[in-house]
Amino acid sequence: MPRQTRQRAAIQRALITADRPLTIDEILASTRKIVPTIGIATAYRNIRRLVDEGWLTAVDIPGGPARYEITGKDHHHHFVCLVCDRVFEVPSCPSDLEKMSPAGFSLDHHEVVLYGKCADCR
Amino acid sequence: MPRQTRQRAAIQRALITADRPLTIDEILASTRKIVPTIGIATAYRNIRRLVDEGWLTAVDIPGGPARYEITGKDHHHHFVCLVCDRVFEVPSCPSDLEKMSPAGFSLDHHEVVLYGKCADCR
DNA sequence: CTGTTAATGATAATGATTTATCATTGTCAT
DNA sequence: ATGACAATGATAAATCATTATCATTAACAG
């Protein structure tokens, strides 16, 4: 049966407190403040498991490595800071997306990614 | 000095006639109808050069390989068919993106990707 | 406390995409 | 036409992210 480990607890804590999608490297950096010896394989293993269990959702931002956020958040989009590369959540959503689909196409879902500078980097 | 080759001409023709972003594989498949012996290295070499020269622009669609489209088109977005994986151009753009940026953030540019079924696949 | 065995950590291996190498071919200025 | 050398094609090698391996560590049921 599964066991509770300090490493997995630290990974989950990192993702809960960040409140934004984190890369593997960000997860590792954050987690090492609590468990300094954690290896990269353990990060990948736990993330994969948390995704399989449905606790995490992968976020694909073009031009960067995979990021992960906690499953079940309200519909939202993402803002990429071009300076610090951090990705933030954006709670709103464009209102007129349905009209954008070409005639004869059926729209399933959509992604909006904003690029710019975050408040810290301006 | 640079020389004109059948291979490069065929690659450019493929991208001009497609009128949508193409992957390396799509470019190769299309080009081989004109120059059947073209190798993958030549495709990569020419695409890199065309990007460096500014003739091509890379289009990054999350969860897929890089695609390339001719530089200088009017502002547009993309529609990904979930069945055939082709990416199409969408000429319109959401009107209220500026309001989406979090307070204190500055917006540079944005990407909108629609997912669904194209007219052929419905 | 102790034994079982799941999980870890270090590192090798993998897979997928892109780039480098190099002998050969083809372009084009002369 | 022909020589210089840019470009090609086949394939090896480099990247980069992710997964597998395996000896060691540690969680937890009894």
Side-chain angles (χ1 to χ4, degrees):
Chain A
M1 69 293 289
R3 292 172 184 177
Q4 179 66 14
T5 66
R6 294 181 309 129
Q7 288 84 346
R8 174 146 67 248
I11 287 168
Q12 291 180 286
R13 170 187 292 267
L15 285 150
I16 290 169
T17 59
D19 201 38
R20 61 184 188 84
L22 298 182
T23 63
I24 292 283
D25 287 344
E26 287 173 334
I27 292 168
L28 262 185
S30 173
T31 305
R32 283 188 168 141
K33 292 174 184 168
I34 301 172
V35 188
T37 61
I38 189 172
I40 193 171
T42 299
Y44 273 107
R45 257 188 306 248
N46 278 291
I47 287 158
R48 181 151 50 107
R49 211 170 104 176
L50 290 167
V51 169
D52 290 345
E53 291 170 0
W55 194 85
L56 275 184
T57 298
V59 176
D60 242 316
I61 301 290
R67 294 162 203 267
Y68 301 89
E69 65 183 14
I70 295 172
T71 303
K73 302 202 171 203
D74 288 341
H75 182 69
H76 64 276
H77 293 296
H78 296 103
F79 185 106
V80 182
C81 177
L82 299 169
V83 177
C84 65
D85 276 329
R86 288 184 297 176
V87 173
F88 300 89
E89 285 189 26
V90 174
S92 52
C93 182
S95 53
D96 43 7
L97 285 171
E98 297 290 343
K99 306 167 191 158
M100 286 181 62
S101 293
F105 286 38
S106 66
L107 183 61
D108 245 56
H109 60 105
H110 63 273
E111 297 291 343
V112 177
V113 184
L114 305 179
Y115 296 87
K117 290 182 187 171
C118 72
D120 293 345
C121 292
R122 285 189 72 184
Chain B
M1 71 289 291
R3 291 172 185 175
Q4 179 65 13
T5 65
R6 294 181 308 128
Q7 288 84 348
R8 164 125 57 140
I11 287 168
Q12 290 179 290
R13 171 186 291 269
L15 284 151
I16 290 169
T17 58
D19 201 40
R20 62 183 187 84
L22 298 182
T23 63
I24 292 282
D25 287 344
E26 287 173 333
I27 292 168
L28 260 185
S30 173
T31 304
R32 283 187 168 142
K33 291 174 184 168
I34 302 173
V35 187
T37 62
I38 189 172
I40 192 171
T42 298
Y44 273 108
R45 256 190 306 249
N46 278 292
I47 287 159
R48 182 152 51 105
R49 212 170 106 175
L50 291 167
V51 169
D52 290 345
E53 291 169 1
W55 194 86
L56 274 184
T57 298
V59 176
D60 242 317
I61 301 290
R67 294 161 202 267
Y68 300 89
E69 67 183 11
I70 295 172
T71 303
K73 302 203 173 204
D74 287 341
H75 182 69
H76 64 276
H77 292 295
H78 296 104
F79 186 108
V80 182
C81 178
L82 299 169
V83 176
C84 64
D85 276 327
R86 288 185 296 175
V87 173
F88 301 89
E89 285 189 26
V90 174
S92 51
C93 181
S95 52
D96 44 6
L97 285 172
E98 297 290 343
K99 305 168 191 156
M100 287 180 64
S101 294
F105 286 37
S106 65
L107 183 60
D108 244 57
H109 60 107
H110 62 273
E111 297 291 343
V112 176
V113 184
L114 306 179
Y115 296 86
K117 289 183 186 170
C118 73
D120 292 346
C121 293
R122 283 190 71 181

